[in-house]
Amino acid sequence: MASSADTLVTAPPAALPRRRKGPRRKARRGRAGYLFVAPFLLFFAAAFIAPLAYAAYTSLFRTRLVGGTVFAGLQNYREVLHDQAFRDGVLRMARFLVTQVPIMLVLAVAFALAIDSGRLWGPRFVRLSIFLPYAVPSAVAALMWGYLYGPSFGPITQLADNLGVTAPNLLSGGWMLPSIANIVTWEFVGYNMIIFYAVLRAIPAELYEAAAVDGAGPVRVAVHIKLPALRPALGLTAIFSIIGTFQLFTEPSIMHTVAPNVINRSYTPSLYAYNLAFTDQRLNYAAALSFAMGAVIVIVTAAFVLVFSRRRARS
Amino acid sequence: MRPAATMSAQRAAPTVRINLLAVLRRRSVPLTIAMFVCVAYFLLPLLWLVIASTKSDSGLFNTFGYSVQTRDFQLWHNVRQVFSYGDGQFVRWLVNTVFYAVASAGGAAVLATAGGYGFAKFDFVGKRAAFAVVVVSIMVPGIALTIPSYLLFAKLGIVNTPLSIILPSLVSPFGIYLMRVYAADAIDDSLLEAARIDGAGEVRIFFQIALRLLAPGVVTVVLFTLVATWNNYFLPFIMLNDPSLFPVTVGLAQWNAQASGGGGAEAVFSLVITGSLISVLPLAVAFLLLQRYWQSGLSAGSVKT
Amino acid sequence: MKLREGNGHRRLPMLMLALIAAIGLVAAACSSTTPKSTASTATISTSTKGSITFWTWVKDMDKEVALFNKKYPNIKVNVVNAGQGSDEYKKLQTALKAGKGAPDVAQIEYQYVPTFTITNSLLDLAPYGASALQAKFVDWAWGQVAKDGKVFAIPQDTGPMGMLYRQDLFDKYGIAVPKTWDEFAAAAKTLHDKDPKVYLTDLPPNEPGAYVGLEWQAGARPFDVQKTDTVGVSLNDTAAKKVSAYWSGLVKDGTVATDPDFTDAWYQGLASGKYATWLTAAWGPLFLQGTAKATAGKWRVAPLPQWSAGEQAAGNWGGSTTAVTKQTKQPAAAAAFAMFLNSDPQSAALLNTDQSLFPATKALLNDPTFLGQKLDFYGGQTVNQTFADVSSTVVTSFQWSPFQDYVFSEFNDTVGAAFTKKGDLDAALDSWQGAVVKYAKEQGFTVP
């Protein structure tokens, strides 16, 4: 990797005109930046900005079956603020967030530490097995777990029957959210674990050597070297998990086919927006609701970042 | 930005390996057992999927989930059924999935690499603002984008075409964020300067110098986008009407939905289950074979972040 | 890092350019596109060339298409399964709204026809000769698709409701076939007391079509659509309350199950004898035959229990029509296909024998071969005869709302949820009513 750079550096500078490091050179270099970012930004404009602009525009109107389209200003947004179903969905996702995400990330850290500890037999097998569920599309994972949870040929119920115990109905109202949380955890622990493991592998050897000199045992090494190294990655994965949680759609949507009355129209904000747009044909309101959802995500993420960096600064 | 870190990471490998050898004697049985129990949690559902694919519909309902019925081994029958049902829809779906995933991953990698390099190594007016917008867009909920995209694409006449899937998938804000961080770290400004002094054009510099240094990051973006597009359900679900364009995720969900709905419904459970198994295999195999690249790509990418 | 502006020129940041491009794109896309309705009343001939797309979730339509092509060999029919029921309607609605992407011909169930007529999306088939078909179809079905001389869809099949019951379970537990709902309630209690694992029937909380069918039988008239901008909503009228009070009792006593239907658990229940009856539509018998093979010979068919002894009333659950959308570029060909598919005697017969659809044509409903068909699965009973008799007792004046997708989806969350929680059905009915009225008013309707 270093060879081509080396040849360039060692090329004789003799034949060159005198260097001109004036503003013109820097300006030309700056302009080249446009060249590289232009393709991305063009597609970004087409695939992100255009639809968002259109959604923002749409959210200012109301289209009714009788009366056509009228300008409504911020009426849709005002309605969102009073929408109980939206609030319920957001709160449900908040409950999901404060339980599932910490559990998933703690497990991911624990697994990464275990594999990195060098005290496992078959660490590669363990690593791969935990990562494997990430290869399963979430729609397929939801279908599969739906069958596993199901009372007719799900092994959980079968086992319970064999033991003479009634299995809890994992698809019922009280259990549905934990059941979905389980699916999401199963799918993504491995992905987060791999990120943490990569960070652990990159810890410089000097730190371990210094710790060995100090006579630190494995636990102290974990607490004082490994965990601090993981902090930034933890922050990042937490942020992505927060964003992902609020956008939950696929798993509830598939679960709706097996438990149609537990997953109601507004079970998650994304599902609610989808139903508003396609079942109710209220595209304007759905657009406003989506922006409101985006605002919630930004607020929660920002709050998390603030708390997280403050705690980092303190420690 | 911190070349020293890169070099010490490389140095860490041999040193840590020596440490490992010393520690080999101290492998822990309790820890291994605990981890293998956890591994069971991750693998047992997939094992169920494999075993369930060997059963017929009645076998599913009447036998224990983990018992293999050697007398009524229906795997080949089920597989044949999956591939032949609906005039071989499933094969088309697999082909579609590969096509969408590869096209999106390739295109996204190109855009993100060039873009990340541009943001990392050049100064230009509006750079900060543009990048900030891109990063913030990671937080935009999928639903806020997909539905208006659908309406826009419908007016442009590209809804229900492969383009309606690939176009949004080409834009990976996370990818460009990753590539920017990676480019800033992996490419020394002095290398670029030297090349410029030699009179090399920017494009040439990019292809001959930068790309090689960015390779692990590029691999990460490719893999990440590949998996994301392969597994995507929501976008194709909204955009596509014609089943011959479905990727496997949407197709399987449709088979599943076909079981529910009066007048024309039919129970096709073994079809959905075996189809699910087959849909998982390609990526699973790819993961197994490409472990090394996953490892280095993600480590390079996430460490830099 | 300071940003430098070079050479005195003001350079447009990349972002600005991108934004302008985006706005341009949006502006271009936002130009209104009105659906083209080429009002050509020309009928097609056997040499007419064309290609039409047909959205349907009924499987294996190729034989019917082949029949059509025998008459019109140069019209290619592209059959696409764009999703089942509600899934297809969502896509259809958005495509129609966007002005592009809708098929030429689409399968639309009776309850959703008004949804598409109110947005003026269905082509009037009268100019293409559809009015002549009126005599071929049962009156109440025709009433659902035709109004004021316009024909918006051609009936394909119907779903008059009846009761499929397990003769062997009735014999085992000494239950007589209930002829009234009171007898049914008593039988439910007896059965469940004798064997707590068996229920007389399952009342699915996710099947508004079936539940409304039962209300239909009781004389409920939830919607009254006389003018295009006025919708009377009475989901909680006397008849509906009578039905909800009745089922409330059974659900609270636990003598009927409340499992969602068409799930793996439900299929299992039918096959294992958990449910002794299935209150279903005329397409039910053949469907059951395909899915509960192990119980062959044990089932029988009877009309639904009645509210008063000796009465003969029925409701309808499901059944589809074939309609032509206004986005079609080949109206004559599309109209010809829709009309042929459902009214051509051979095609209509195939729909019954191959796709298990219960006929909407008077011809088939009076055909001795059809009526005399003995099904072994039902102990040699002439199932079709029973349902054909029921079909003639379906009340004709039932109407659907122009936003039925919303109404049904709201059912799941109000009334359906009450089934599952064994809550107060009466209150749930009122919630349903309230939600629908609110929605209707929001949509600009006058709700008297």
Side-chain angles (χ1 to χ4, degrees), chain A residues 1 4-6 8-9 11 16 19 21 25-26 29-37 39-41 43-44 46-52 54-55 111 114-115 117-140 143-145 147-148 152-153 155 158-159 162 182 185-186 189-191 194-195 197-199 201-206 208-209 218 236 240 243 247 249-250 253-254 257 270 273-274 277-278 283 290-291 293-294 297-298 301, chain B residues 8-9 11-12 15-16 19-20 23 26-29 31-32 35-36 38-39 41-43 45-46 48-49 60-61 63-66 111-112 114-115 117-119 121-125 130 133-134 137-145 147-149 151-152 155 167-168 170-174 176-177 191 193-198 202-203 206 208-209 212-213 224 227 230-231 233-234 237-238 249 252-253 256 269 272-273 276 279-280 283-284 287-288 291 294-295 298-299 302-303 305:
Chain A
M1 235 190 275
S4 55
D6 282 340
L8 275 165
V9 167
L16 286 174
R19 289 189 194 175
K21 263 170 100 179
R25 179 150 240 140
K26 279 213 172 150
R29 199 193 322 152
R31 243 192 306 155
Y34 285 133
L35 173 72
F36 290 107
V37 300
F40 178 83
L41 286 179
F43 279 93
F44 183 73
F48 260 76
I49 301 195
L52 278 182
Y54 185 60
F111 293 155
I115 299 174
S117 70
R119 289 164 144 247
L120 269 187
W121 265 289
R124 217 200 251 170
F125 169 71
V126 171
R127 197 177 71 219
L128 208 68
S129 308
I130 301 180
F131 189 45
L132 199 59
Y134 183 63
V136 179
S138 38
V140 174
L143 280 173
M144 188 180 70
W145 277 100
Y147 291 131
L148 288 172
S152 38
F153 48 79
Q158 288 173 335
L159 261 173
N162 276 351
N182 175 53
T185 308
W186 182 82
V189 162
Y191 173 75
I194 291 280
I195 292 179
Y197 180 67
V199 171
R201 295 303 285 160
I203 294 178
E206 296 97 51
Y208 289 125
E209 286 160 9
L236 203 68
F240 286 125
I243 296 172
Q247 299 191 27
F249 177 87
T250 306
S253 165
I254 303 268
T257 51
S270 278
Y274 170 79
F278 291 102
L283 288 151
S290 306
F291 278 111
M293 196 169 50
I297 296 177
V298 169
T301 311
Chain B
S8 48
R11 232 195 294 143
T15 327
V16 171
N19 276 346
L20 252 179
V23 146
R26 291 190 292 132
R27 289 214 184 181
S28 160
V29 172
L31 183 66
T32 307
M35 284 308 290
F36 271 77
C38 297
V39 164
Y41 163 73
F42 290 99
L43 291 184
L46 294 171
W48 178 87
L49 193 65
L60 275 174
F61 281 104
T63 59
F64 179 59
Y66 286 100
L111 293 177
Y117 175 72
F119 277 121
K121 293 294 167 189
F122 297 87
D123 280 339
F124 47 91
V125 177
V133 170
V134 170
S137 74
I138 297 178
M139 281 192 259
V140 172
I143 189 106
L145 269 178
I147 295 176
S149 298
L151 293 169
L152 267 180
K155 298 220 173 182
L167 199 70
L170 287 177
V171 179
S172 170
F174 179 62
I176 207 174
Y177 171 78
L191 285 174
E193 267 309 308
R196 288 183 190 124
I197 290 166
D198 281 354
E202 293 296 343
V203 178
F206 176 66
Q208 289 201 317
I209 305 176
R212 289 173 213 204
L213 295 171
F224 177 77
V227 174
W230 187 285
N231 291 349
Y233 173 72
F234 188 54
F237 177 65
I238 305 272
T249 45
L252 280 173
N256 188 48
F269 298 112
V272 176
I273 288 174
S276 302
S279 74
V280 171
L283 266 189
F287 272 32
L288 282 167
Q291 294 181 53
W294 261 119
Q295 191 48 37
L298 263 174
S299 80
S302 49
V303 168
T305 308

Side-chain angles (χ1 to χ4, degrees), chain A residues 58-145:
Chain A
T58 312
S59 70
L60 299 175
F61 288 80
R62 289 204 115 148
T63 307
R64 313 154 114 202
L65 280 174
V66 176
T69 312
V70 290
F71 181 74
L74 295 175
Q75 209 185 351
N76 285 326
Y77 291 97
R78 248 176 271 137
E79 192 180 331
V80 173
L81 287 174
H82 291 111
D83 194 336
Q84 188 62 44
F86 177 64
R87 238 178 284 163
D88 287 342
V90 171
L91 283 174
R92 187 173 290 116
M93 288 300 95
R95 280 203 320 266
F96 189 91
L97 182 73
V98 299
T99 48
Q100 190 266 342
V101 172
I103 292 178
M104 177 177 69
L105 292 181
V106 164
L107 282 176
V109 168
F111 293 155
L113 286 173
I115 299 174
D116 186 57
S117 70
R119 289 164 144 247
L120 269 187
W121 265 289
R124 217 200 251 170
F125 169 71
V126 171
R127 197 177 71 219
L128 208 68
S129 308
I130 301 180
F131 189 45
L132 199 59
Y134 183 63
V136 179
S138 38
V140 174
L143 280 173
M144 188 180 70
W145 277 100

